[in-house]
Amino acid sequence: MGTNLLRAQGNVAKVGDTEYAKLADAVNAAQADDEIKVIANIATNLDLTISKKVTLDLGGFTLSDAYIKIAAEVTVKNGDIKNTTEPYPLVVNSGKLTVEDVDIEASKSDRAIWVRSGSSLVFNSGSILATKGEGNSVTNYITAITISNNTNVTINGGTITVDTPDIKGYAIFGNYENANVTVNGGKISTSGKNYSYAIYVDGDITVTGGA
């Protein structure tokens, strides 16, 4: 609460000691290897591209209905991303996304994180919950993490859950060659209907730990 009282009214993020009214402005101002810190909840629909090597520290706050596109080596940590209207909370278009202590919820789309061709995801801690919420028109299947061709996903901890009792659900799905998954820890589960799987990929699956 003390930190919140010190911030200028209306500002939502900062880089160093400089505060910004929009998270996009903070991202644009950041230099490689900087940390961008969120200092307030952001409830507006957020369409954001991060194309430089930075850390996005959510500061324990919540991004609501965010659409964050990753195009560099980026770490997102310490907060919540809750989507009830925007489609995909996180899309890794290129580069590498590392997630630490972030709770992600997606109820309006067919996936929570999309790891696109040639990119990678390291999920260290936190949670992903993908559900079929009110108004979600998806009829085929829902995934927590969808991975494309030539991708690598490493799960070191946290929980990844798909709760879709009426349709199929895959916690991690990749119907492509070279869609590779390594699980070193954490819990991965689905409650989808018939033919649902915790992990369904055409690439290599390596499991050394977790449940």
Side-chain angles (χ1 to χ4, degrees), residues 134-154:
E134 184 177 354
N136 188 328
S137 60
V138 174
T139 58
N140 191 7
Y141 58 82
I142 286 176
T143 76
I145 301 172
T146 294
I147 59 179
S148 299
N149 190 42
N150 261 347
T151 51
N152 291 286
V153 170
T154 302

Side-chain angles (χ1 to χ4, degrees), residues 155 181-186 188 199 204-211:
I155 309 299
V181 176
T182 300
V183 180
N184 298 316
I188 303 171
I199 303 175
D204 294 331
I205 302 174
T206 302
V207 179
T208 64

